[in-house]
Amino acid sequence: MEDQGWWGRFRRSESFAGLALVSPTALYALLLLAAPLATILLYSFLTDGDTQTRIVWDFTLDNYIATLTEPLYRAVMIRSLSVSILVTAVTVILAFPVAYYVSFHVAPQRKSLWLFLITIPFWTSYLIRVFLWKVILGYNGVINSGLTTLGIIDEPLTFILYNVNAIVITLAHAYAPFAILPIFVALEKIDRSLLEAGQDLGESKAMTFLRVTLPLAMPGVVAAVLIVLIPTVGDYVTPQIIGGGKIPMVANLIQSRMLDLDNRPLGSALAVVAMLVVTVVALAFVALNARFLKVKK
Amino acid sequence: MTLAPNPLAAPAATLAATPRPTMIEFRDVHKYYGDYHALRGITATIRAGEFFSLLGPSGCGKTTLLRTIAGFEGISSGAVLIDGKDMQGVPANVRPTNMVFQSYAIFPHLTVAQNVGFGLRREGGTAAEKARRVDEALEMVGLKGYGARAAHALSGGQRQRVALARALILKPKVLLLDEPLSALDKKMREQMQVELIRLQRQVGITFILVTHDQEEALVMSDRIAVMFEGQIAQLADPEMLYRRPATRQVADFIGVMNFLPATVTSEAAGRIAIDVQGLGPCEIDAGQAPGALTGGAAEVGFRPETLTILYDGQTATDRETPGTIEEVVYYGDMTYYDVKLDGVDRPVRISMRNVFGRPVLDIRTRTRVAWSPGALVLFR
Amino acid sequence: MTDGRGLRLYAILYLVFLYAPILLLPVFALNDATIVAFPLSGFTTKWFGQLAQLPTLFDALRNSLIIAVSSSILATTLGLFAARASSRYDFAGKGPIMGLIMLPLVLPEIIVAMSLLMVLLGMGLNLAVWSVILGHTLICMPFAIAILSAAFQSLDRSLEEAAYDLGESRWSTFRLITLPLVMPGIVSALLISFTISMDEFIIAFFLAGAEPTLPVYIYSQLRFPKQIPSILALGTILVAVSVVLLTIAEYFRRRGIAKVGGKDTGGFL
């Protein structure tokens, strides 16, 4: 058919231009991201070798069985996930009012300044920020020494010390802008007359917020949750510095299995399982909020 | 809603008397976007030096058709010829056309003069010569002395003028205008309409205008192609388009048209006998019935101003029919009456010029309506 | 506006929380004591002076600069292709392809670092500055693309068509119109990528081999309490440099939006 031939030509030309243009970048991501991730996936099904062979090409599910049954791994996995969920909840709940304030109560010409102020700490050295939290929260840290100097406490507070609480505070601080920005963007998109309509139809300000603003802001909240949840599961620095290596999370475990013990298949399986678990949690969260996300179209 | 044909536009008779050479020719042009058939066999010619409009609702393919002339859109089959040359494979940057974009596309990082002189970069000549041409172009669009201004500091109307000067400075064979007035307010739009007509007369270049505003098309164009769903429904001069729309769809799109059911009773020797609901039997000229007729059920259309409400003591010059006024809409210079003619279930709209001393009639007034078979158009 | 005032107070407290660590940094960097605690002992600049006596610090700084310059240029260049393609064209597999390229934005860095490390070790390659550049380019790309896409999207497509229509070629249109208009975005993307690379720790930690970057050097020094005040001094300098670079980046980003007459929607992300 004449049309068919033309069709092919058209598709080729339009699609081709885009593909050709994106190809250097795509190729880079394919070689340095997709291929390594595939390698990890492959390794996770292989058998550990000695220091010479390292990997033995023997397909097995042992690594997964170990990952899922060994108490230590399960404990770390559960701790990572709960810390990450806790951090996400704290971060998003603390961030929402800030995003709301900037979107609804800051004059338009000053919004960029606020966003800039919020993002700056995010771009400064993560390592140094994490270390500073250790300094702030430590036994002789800023808070304890400050409170002691002021005579408020006699003994240093221990509940903020080198424990899960300290990890949560540090991570919530690190990911704050990640949570604020998507929520802010969603709030900005809300047509302000919808809120007036809500009040015009007899709802109080609080109920208007619950029935109009919050549902419309949910896409932003979901994005914020995902963008905090997924990376925090794999955080390496914070447990290392704040927890002093005594409260390992899954990233530390992956590192120690892969490098310290040189068991690459087991480390790979841990990484794959960690990613699968967080993906499942993330998808479940998205599914729960699906009705809010559909509205967008 | 004043729809009188444009007095500035050359009357159709003049065009017919002095046929101009063809500038653009479309030969069975088709265009697909994926599954979507955007242009469905466009065949038409646009003459040199005419002000031509592509008119239609959004999504009818008018902008796509314009962009096939500019070279921004390829075509799937058929041919587009400019000045006798097939444009297949000729890229936009070498075609003898220039475009005024809907957004004006004024380069925000350049001055007004740099914008206007943008296309001169590749031409020979001294800098002084180019500067003189830029000044001339700016003067032509009424922006003398604006050359050094930053482009982003201009008003909507000024941006439009810069866009015009920038396109015309290259003396294209065809100037393409993509909804150039849609971003302007009503007053500015009407002013620019007159200026565009004047400019087109002055430079003598073929102007092709895309618009969804039927009034704008009628006011400005020598000829208009009305498009629906990727096809040209009618190509005619404004008066013909208004008086003798080729299809019901065209009639509905341009101005207001009343429709009444009718039956064709006989057809012979260029005359058609019809029986119109409410108006009764009458005879019309074959020219009043576009398209082939097979007899039987049809519809007649007529414009609101072709009917006249008769006041006491007035008599119709041709035919008259009784009716009752159902609705009165007062427009200042005009009054629109919705009148239910006896024996018709839907009212027809009649427009009357408000003349000093003639009262505006009330709802429910019994009245007589004068009409003439010569003003009817018969649709299949 | 009563609820506004309460929210404002909260937002300001939140900013204090965000800035607390950064603000404490210079306080203790200028404090005349090796122990980081209150009360402060006195003012000194000796910790900054001590930095000059750490030769390995300068090696690390040199490595970091080489890596940051290379990966910001690479990431911005590769980002230009992807941003242009995604904001301009519809192509088969656009979603998955762009998804893969943007994946490092959410992927934990440990996963990126470990998987790259496995491949590089598997290929028997020696780790060095170049391997960090590869990794940093990968994680800077999504940020560069986010900034550049915004720049391309706020660019009215008919501007390019107008230049082409006026006789310019595709390349000269890009040079005369597109490039000047997205240049602020490019500068912004370069600066952001540079900052990310300078600060990045995990990938550098695992992929640098025997050529540590500044954060890796800092990490190695954190174990020695004696070194901590000088590390804080170093941190102060790094944060100050970052803030300056980010302010310049923000300036360019905003100027870019103003230049094309767009509306500022705020934020880098």
Side-chain angles (χ1 to χ4, degrees), chain B residues 101-338:
Chain B
F101 291 82
Q102 186 169 12
S103 64
Y104 309 143
I106 303 300
F107 305 127
H109 57 308
L110 303 179
T111 64
V112 167
Q114 284 170 331
N115 261 284
V116 173
F118 190 87
L120 298 180
R121 194 179 76 93
R122 307 196 147 228
E123 291 188 7
T126 62
E129 160 82 2
K130 286 178 182 175
R132 190 184 54 74
R133 282 177 67 184
V134 168
D135 285 343
E136 277 175 12
L138 281 173
E139 192 171 354
M140 182 171 68
V141 295
L143 283 182
K144 195 177 178 187
Y146 279 67
R149 296 235 183 150
H152 55 76
L154 298 175
S155 72
Q158 289 167 338
R159 296 166 86 81
Q160 151 101 80
R161 287 159 202 265
V162 172
L164 270 169
R166 185 177 69 182
L168 286 172
I169 200 170
L170 296 176
K171 301 194 169 63
K173 286 178 178 167
V174 182
L175 183 75
L176 306 170
L177 303 117
D178 184 8
E179 306 243 12
L181 307 177
S182 60
L184 304 177
D185 63 42
K186 188 170 157 57
K187 201 155 189 170
M188 184 56 115
R189 192 159 62 229
E190 284 170 359
Q191 187 189 337
M192 282 310 297
Q193 286 174 359
V194 176
E195 277 198 48
L196 274 176
I197 296 164
R198 177 189 62 78
L199 202 60
Q200 197 262 340
R201 290 269 174 78
Q202 186 186 334
V203 297
I205 289 171
T206 311
F207 276 33
I208 303 179
L209 173 85
V210 158
T211 180
H212 63 270
D213 181 342
Q214 38 109 3
E215 196 178 324
E216 184 172 295
L218 292 179
V219 168
M220 297 173 74
S221 322
D222 294 321
R223 289 195 308 152
I224 299 168
V226 183
M227 292 182 66
F228 295 108
E229 288 162 3
Q231 285 173 313
I232 293 180
Q234 188 173 8
L235 197 167
D237 62 77
E239 197 190 349
M240 193 66 177
L241 211 55
Y242 186 76
R243 281 186 41 221
R244 295 263 190 275
T247 66
R248 222 203 112 132
Q249 208 177 12
V250 173
D252 227 9
F253 188 72
I254 293 176
V256 178
M257 179 137 308
N258 294 301
F259 295 100
L260 286 175
T263 324
V264 177
T265 47
S266 74
E267 202 176 342
R271 301 292 289 171
I272 305 171
I274 53 175
D275 189 359
V276 185
Q277 191 186 91
L279 299 178
C282 62
E283 238 184 33
I284 59 169
D285 197 86
Q288 287 167 257
L293 276 166
T294 48
E299 221 173 7
V300 294
F302 47 96
R303 299 287 181 190
E305 68 276 10
T306 61
L307 302 186
T308 310
I309 289 180
L310 296 173
Y311 282 71
D312 288 342
Q314 290 182 313
T315 48
T317 47
D318 197 344
R319 308 276 292 259
E320 74 172 66
T321 302
T324 309
I325 295 175
E326 284 211 326
E327 191 63 74
V328 180
V329 187
Y330 180 74
Y331 268 87
D333 60 336
M334 306 284 289
T335 304
Y336 286 175
Y337 296 98
D338 287 348

